[in-house]
Amino acid sequence: MKVKDIIKLGIYKTFLVPINWMLSLVLSFLQKKHNNKTMVYSVMPPASTGMAPFALKIFNKRKNDFLIVNKFNNPFEYLYAIFYGHSLNTNIFDISFDKYLMKNFKIQKKIFVIGNSPHHNETLKKAIETKGEENRYLYLGENLLFTPALNYLNAWKKEAMEETISKYYNKNLEVTFKEDLNIFWTKNNIYGLKIIKELTGINKFIVFNENAKDLFAKEFTSEELADIKINTINPPVEDLTTIPPAPQFASRDYVLIGSFGLPQKLKSTPDIIETINLLNKNGTKTKLLLAGYSVKEYLNTLSINKENIIAYDSPSEKKLLSLMKSVDIAIQLRPKNQGETSGCISELLGLKQKIITTKGFVTNGLEKYCINVDPYITPENLAKVITENLNNYKKIKDNDDIFNHYSFLCAANKIKEIL
């Protein structure tokens, strides 16, 4: 551990933990003392991952049933989460307070929310620490989960990664780092989920995508699958129709196409950029609005014509939604599905926007609200789809059933039912 990290840890334990603990104590008095509590370990806002607000919006719908636990770096982060969404989220507690919760509330079950980013390192540690306990569940943002697993095992170097693959998957593979690690792992039917299952001992899962269930068979044998319980619930869609578009796009003389979230090759970002360039070359004045995490950093890695791109790096949630509302069509592609549910697509559906996505990526009945294209669609064909659907595609403005059947409350109720 570096000196600066030791200093930060000292400050956290000496000054910040007591404050966070006291805030948690105050909130604990607002909890009803019934005996059917479920503790949820999950990253919370303001963490820069879409899974943070997504999880909060689900579990705060039943504040007296779900107690959310997270490691907050300081009281300001904690207060941000408590008042997130212009409401009082009384069921959020600092990780320093979890022993008090265990002692003073009858915790019957635990849920660990895991995604493929370092944000989930603390949650994975807690899941591993509780190995041997019953009634534990893994809530998956996606099936590709090697990042928190390798972080825990400190196995990012070539030899350590190859030993990890050999130990958990009985495969002798050479790691060269010449290709994207996501591609390397998935093409060898390795997602990291098996490592997490072995480390935690948890065999009960909650997923938000039918494709996620199918991907289990790529990592586990039929005998192993017989011992695994996979529960699928509908991804929530929130009514966001009152969100106004961004004023800077109110008056424009071009078509505005949007693609949101973390840009990367796995999401066909380079192909989307080529599509926009092709539309301009063919006489349709078009701009591509890219908004999400690390957008400008990613664009700097591309040797491609970027003159038609409008980039917004890590916008606030409010800003992102207004940008989403401003586009004529959104494109959210996943040629190779990793079992994830797209928070951006859920938000775009909530805004009742036109969405072009990959066949099979959106499931659970929501695919009928999207324009579905073949995996690895070429820029030429994607340009045709955009042109054909700019005016002809019927929005979902007349169908409010989507908000009744796919609400955050429905998701919370379904999880409670599963438990």
Side-chain angles (χ1 to χ4, degrees), residues 22 32 50 62 90 101 104 113 118 134 142 170-171 206 224 257 262 280 286 304 339 365 390:
M22 290 302 298
K32 293 183 179 179
R62 300 189 60 145
T90 58
L101 292 173
N104 291 276
V113 180
E134 297 182 353
E142 59 183 293
N170 196 28
K171 295 181 179 181
I206 298 171
E224 291 170 331
I257 307 298
L262 180 70
N280 281 282
T286 312
I304 193 172
L390 274 174

Side-chain angles (χ1 to χ4, degrees), residues 8 10 13 19 55 76 83 91 98-99 113 129 155 163 211 244 264 273 314 337 353 416:
K8 286 181 180 178
K13 289 186 175 180
I19 298 175
F76 301 105
F83 294 101
N91 60 332
D98 66 340
K99 289 183 174 59
V113 180
E129 288 175 12
E163 288 175 6
N211 291 320
Q264 54 181 272
I273 296 173
S314 301
N337 187 266
Q353 287 289 64
K416 187 64 179 175

Side-chain angles (χ1 to χ4, degrees), residues 16-30:
L16 303 183
V17 168
I19 298 175
N20 287 351
W21 196 93
M22 290 302 298
L23 285 171
S24 294
L25 180 63
V26 172
L27 292 181
S28 70
F29 293 136
L30 302 178

Side-chain angles (χ1 to χ4, degrees), residues 51 112-116 120 123-124 138-142 145 148 196:
M51 288 186 66
F112 300 90
V113 180
I114 301 287
N116 190 35
H120 306 277
T123 298
L124 178 58
L138 281 172
Y139 162 130
L140 305 183
E142 59 183 293
L145 297 169
I196 288 180

Side-chain angles (χ1 to χ4, degrees), residues 151-195:
N151 283 341
Y152 180 81
L153 296 170
N154 193 24
W156 284 100
K157 292 184 179 180
K158 172 181 170 65
E159 294 78 10
M161 194 179 296
E162 290 173 349
E163 288 175 6
T164 300
I165 294 171
S166 176
K167 176 180 178 180
Y168 290 97
Y169 295 93
N170 196 28
K171 295 181 179 181
N172 295 317
L173 301 175
E174 181 183 5
V175 180
T176 64
F177 298 105
K178 291 182 179 179
E179 61 184 340
D180 187 295
L181 277 176
N182 290 355
I183 297 174
F184 168 78
W185 282 66
T186 55
K187 81 175 184 181
N188 288 293
N189 291 330
I190 296 173
Y191 290 81
L193 181 55
K194 189 170 186 178
I195 303 175

Side-chain angles (χ1 to χ4, degrees), residues 237-244 260 321 324-330 343-356 366 369-371 389-390 393-404 406:
V237 177
E238 182 179 9
D239 187 346
L240 301 171
T241 51
T242 60
I243 299 291
F260 305 98
L321 291 174
M324 288 179 169
K325 183 73 170 184
S326 303
V327 302
D328 297 302
I329 292 182
C344 289
I345 287 183
S346 290
E347 290 166 340
L348 287 162
L349 288 171
L351 292 164
K352 295 190 175 180
Q353 287 289 64
K354 303 176 185 178
I355 309 164
I356 297 175
L366 290 173
Y369 301 113
C370 301
I371 304 163
N389 288 282
L390 274 174
Y393 179 69
K394 182 181 179 182
K395 289 187 178 182
I396 56 173
K397 60 183 179 181
D398 298 325
N399 190 347
D400 287 333
D401 286 345
I402 191 172
F403 301 130
N404 298 324
Y406 296 90

